[in-house]
Amino acid sequence: MYLSSATNRITVTWGNYGKSYSVALYLVRQLTSSELLQRLKTIGVKHPELCKALVKEKLRLDPDSEIATTGVRVSLICPLVKMRLSVPCRAETCAHLQCFDAVFYLQMNEKKPTWMCPVCDKPAPYDQLIIDGLLSKILSECEDADEIEYLVDGSWCPIRAEKERSCSPQGTILVLGPSDANGLLPTPSVNGSGALGSTGGGGPASSVENGKPGADVVDLTLDSSSSSEDEEEEEEDEDEDEEGPRPKRRCPFQKGLVPAC
C-alpha cells in the first residue's frame, strides 16, 4: 500500500466452500541494515560458553564412526567479501561452525533480500541469526592469523600460514668489475718476462711506456686474424676477376697474441 493522499481500497473475495477465512492488516516500518545490526547485537549474542559446548558436541567421538575427528578449522575471513570478520554471525539452523560477517550480510539482504546462508546455501532468516560470542572473543585475541582450529576439548589454536619459500635455483654469483660491466675484457697483468705483448723478440713488456698507456687487449677468439688482414682481403677481392681467388694468408702471429707496440 502507498502512504499518500490517494485512497487505498482493499477488496477480499472468497467462495462459500464451508471454510473459515481471516484477513489481517498490519502497519509496518522498514528497518535499515544498521538498525537490524544494532538489534542483533542486543538480543542475538550467544554466550561463549554455549558456543564452546557446541564445539565439543561437534567434535565428540562417535562410536559408530570409524573416523575420529580431532579438530575442525574455521576461517576468520568472511566468505562474502573476503575480509576479516568483524561481527561473526550464523544461523542457529546451520550445522557448520563457520561464520560470516553480519554487517555485510544485512547490507546485501537490504538491497536484494534472499536470506540464504553463504556457507551452506540454506535459509538463514533474520529471526534465526546469532552472533558467535566465542569467535568474537577469538577475533580480539588473535590478530595475526586468518584461520584457527577448534580442538576436542573446546580450546582453539591459531593457524599461521607458512612463508613462501623461494624456488630460484642456488648458483654461484658472479661479481662483474667496472670494465666487465661495460662489455670490455679485463686488462691482464704483465710481468717482466715479456710473455705477453711480444712475439719472442724481447720487446718492452711494461703496461706504461714513456708516459703513454699500454695497448688495448683485443679478443682474437674469432676465425679472422686481424682488422688489417680484412682490409687486404677487400683489396684482393677487386682483383679476383682477373687473377682468380687467392689462398688465405696465414697469420704471422701466434693465436691469441697481439704485439703491444
Side-chain angles (χ1 to χ4, degrees):
M1 301 178 64
Y2 300 96
L3 299 179
S4 62
S5 58
T7 302
N8 293 286
R9 183 180 299 275
I10 301 176
T11 303
V12 179
T13 305
W14 71 94
N16 190 10
Y17 299 113
K19 297 181 180 180
S20 301
Y21 298 91
S22 62
V23 178
L25 181 64
Y26 295 93
L27 180 62
V28 298
R29 182 175 64 90
Q30 185 178 4
L31 300 177
T32 64
S33 59
S34 301
E35 294 173 339
L36 292 177
L37 178 62
Q38 188 62 35
R39 178 183 295 184
L40 185 63
K41 289 181 178 180
T42 304
I43 62 176
V45 180
K46 194 169 186 178
H47 196 273
E49 292 298 330
L50 296 178
C51 298
K52 187 175 181 180
L54 179 62
V55 173
K56 292 181 180 181
E57 183 180 355
K58 293 289 184 183
L59 298 178
R60 186 172 52 188
L61 180 62
D62 187 2
D64 298 333
S65 177
E66 297 180 356
I67 301 176
T69 304
T70 59
V72 58
R73 292 190 175 187
V74 174
S75 176
L76 302 182
I77 303 299
C78 177
L80 288 172
V81 293
K82 306 303 179 183
M83 295 174 60
R84 187 177 176 86
L85 292 170
S86 59
V87 184
C89 174
R90 68 172 181 271
E92 286 186 319
T93 55
C94 293
H96 52 80
L97 298 176
Q98 179 65 51
C99 294
F100 48 86
D101 201 312
V103 177
F104 298 104
Y105 183 73
L106 294 176
Q107 290 178 356
M108 294 177 64
N109 283 277
E110 183 181 14
K111 297 180 180 179
K112 185 179 180 181
T114 57
W115 301 104
M116 300 295 292
C117 176
V119 179
C120 60
D121 201 21
K122 293 182 179 180
Y126 178 79
D127 296 337
Q128 297 179 357
L129 296 181
I130 60 169
I131 296 178
D132 193 322
L134 178 59
L135 196 56
S136 299
K137 183 179 178 181
I138 294 175
L139 287 169
S140 61
E141 296 178 358
C142 182
E143 299 181 353
D144 57 346
D146 295 334
E147 191 176 12
I148 64 166
E149 182 177 4
Y150 286 123
L151 305 179
V152 291
D153 57 351
S155 60
W156 61 276
C157 61
I159 299 177
R160 296 176 175 86
E162 297 180 359
K163 296 182 179 179
E164 297 182 359
R165 298 180 179 179
S166 175
C167 298
S168 59
Q170 299 293 334
T172 305
I173 299 177
L174 179 61
V175 180
L176 299 178
S179 58
D180 297 337
N182 296 329
L184 301 177
L185 293 174
T187 304
S189 59
V190 182
N191 53 22
S193 60
L196 180 61
S198 62
T199 57
S206 60
S207 59
V208 179
E209 182 181 4
N210 297 329
K212 298 181 179 180
D216 295 335
V217 178
V218 181
D219 187 7
L220 297 179
T221 57
L222 301 177
D223 293 337
S224 60
S225 301
S226 62
S227 59
S228 59
E229 184 178 355
D230 294 337
E231 296 177 357
E232 294 179 0
E233 289 179 358
E234 292 179 359
E235 296 177 357
E236 292 174 357
D237 291 340
E238 298 177 357
D239 300 331
E240 284 182 358
D241 296 337
E242 298 178 359
E243 301 179 3
R246 297 182 182 181
K248 187 176 182 181
R249 299 175 61 183
R250 187 178 300 276
C251 177
F253 308 110
Q254 297 181 7
K255 186 176 181 180
L257 299 179
V258 65
C261 57

